[in-house]
Amino acid sequence: MIGTTRRRSRLFDPSSGRSVILSLDHGASDGMIAGIENIQDILSAVGKTRTQGVVLNKGLARAWGADVDQRLGLMVQLSGGTKHGLPTYNKSLVCSVPEALRAGADAVCVHVNLGNDLEDRMLGDLGVVTDEAHQLGLPVMAVIYARGGQIVNELDPSLISHSIRLGGELGADLVAVPYSGNKKSFGLAARSCPVPVLVTGGPRKADLTSCLKDMEEALDAGAAGVCVGRNVFQHTDPAEALSRVVERVHGKV
């Protein structure tokens, strides 16, 4: 596990001890949404900030991975599913760990949605990936949401706490979940988790300020960093939005 630990440590800023991961894997699930056409420009800008990693699907990793600054961690998303499928919360493995490694991955991601009739298969996928990735020394980030027929409120604090605990219990090296808005329960789950917990940016918010406020509260509660996507690449100025996120997470230089 030494390789896994060393690679995971590179996803955290040595000064702040926190992580900013930019997620750019939305094209597979959502198609040509606003901002997705500028991924190459965004990748060029990321290296100028204190961002620690980017998440890409395997095709973009192969095509544009060379454009990613070498100090950044390239994280390849292994799960896939589209918004047109039924059920919409279904995620299947569309990339293997060896394929991700050939594409230049420094870490891999698996998306799990709990609280639905496909939960068992997605959990099985996470189990297989953690085993294969750890054999090759690659860290695994489990992105876990409560979505499906059994879920009434995706941000229910007890569900978010369970998602955090689930990722830690099943061997992920990083766990990324939405922020519940409840500092007490989120902090307890994050402190009890054996691996770092990142908070996801979630759907595009009306303004970046409200997104930053949620991130700051989650960091104060115990999050080790953020994994943000739409609130950066769909911003009118993605580079500026990313710089503001980085400053909020790591502090001013």
Side-chain angles (χ1 to χ4, degrees):
M1 296 292 286
I2 294 176
T4 302
T5 304
R6 284 176 58 84
R7 289 184 177 91
R8 184 181 66 182
S9 70
R10 296 172 191 153
L11 297 173
F12 289 85
D13 184 84
S15 298
S16 71
R18 291 174 170 174
S19 180
V20 175
I21 305 297
L22 181 59
S23 180
L24 298 174
D25 58 342
H26 300 68
S29 59
D30 295 344
M32 283 301 296
I33 57 176
I36 211 77
E37 70 278 5
N38 297 319
I39 294 249
Q40 285 176 285
D41 293 338
I42 296 172
L43 287 175
S44 298
V46 172
K48 301 173 184 177
T49 69
R50 290 171 68 193
T51 303
Q52 280 64 58
V54 293
V55 180
L56 297 174
N57 288 306
K58 62 180 182 180
L60 297 195
R62 285 200 304 264
W64 299 333
D67 298 332
V68 177
D69 191 292
Q70 292 298 306
R71 69 176 183 79
L72 297 174
L74 176 57
M75 309 176 76
V76 174
Q77 175 62 261
L78 306 187
S79 304
T82 76
K83 62 182 181 181
H84 310 294
L86 291 176
T88 55
Y89 49 76
N90 181 30
K91 295 291 182 180
S92 300
L93 289 182
V94 294
C95 179
S96 68
V97 176
E99 187 176 12
L101 193 59
R102 291 194 298 271
D106 300 299
V108 294
C109 305
V110 179
H111 188 126
V112 174
N113 290 322
L114 60 84
N116 57 72
D117 52 348
L118 298 175
E119 176 187 289
D120 60 334
R121 203 245 310 130
M122 285 184 267
L123 290 177
D125 289 344
L126 176 59
V128 169
V129 167
T130 53
D131 180 43
E132 292 182 348
H134 289 164
Q135 289 186 54
L136 296 171
L138 289 180
V140 178
M141 181 168 75
V143 181
I144 304 179
Y145 289 87
R147 289 177 177 168
Q150 305 300 315
I151 304 302
V152 176
N153 175 15
E154 294 184 5
L155 297 181
D156 183 320
S158 66
L159 290 173
I160 301 300
S161 295
H162 194 166
S163 298
I164 292 172
R165 189 71 189 190
L166 182 66
E169 292 276 356
L170 296 189
D173 303 285
L174 294 163
V175 183
V177 299
Y179 179 54
S180 63
N182 187 309
K183 291 182 69 173
K184 183 177 180 180
S185 66
F186 187 94
L188 177 61
R191 289 191 301 273
S192 302
C193 187
V195 298
V197 176
L198 307 183
V199 64
T200 59
R204 172 79 189 280
K205 292 181 172 61
D207 63 276
L208 184 61
T209 300
S210 62
C211 179
L212 293 173
K213 183 177 180 296
D214 288 345
M215 288 180 184
E216 185 168 17
E217 188 171 309
L219 291 167
D220 288 343
V226 302
C227 181
V228 62
R230 291 181 180 87
N231 286 287
V232 168
F233 71 74
Q234 290 192 319
H235 192 273
T236 52
D237 188 343
E240 171 63 19
L242 181 58
S243 294
R244 290 179 63 188
V245 169
V246 167
E247 182 178 307
R248 189 62 58 96
V249 175
H250 296 313
K252 294 183 179 180
V253 177

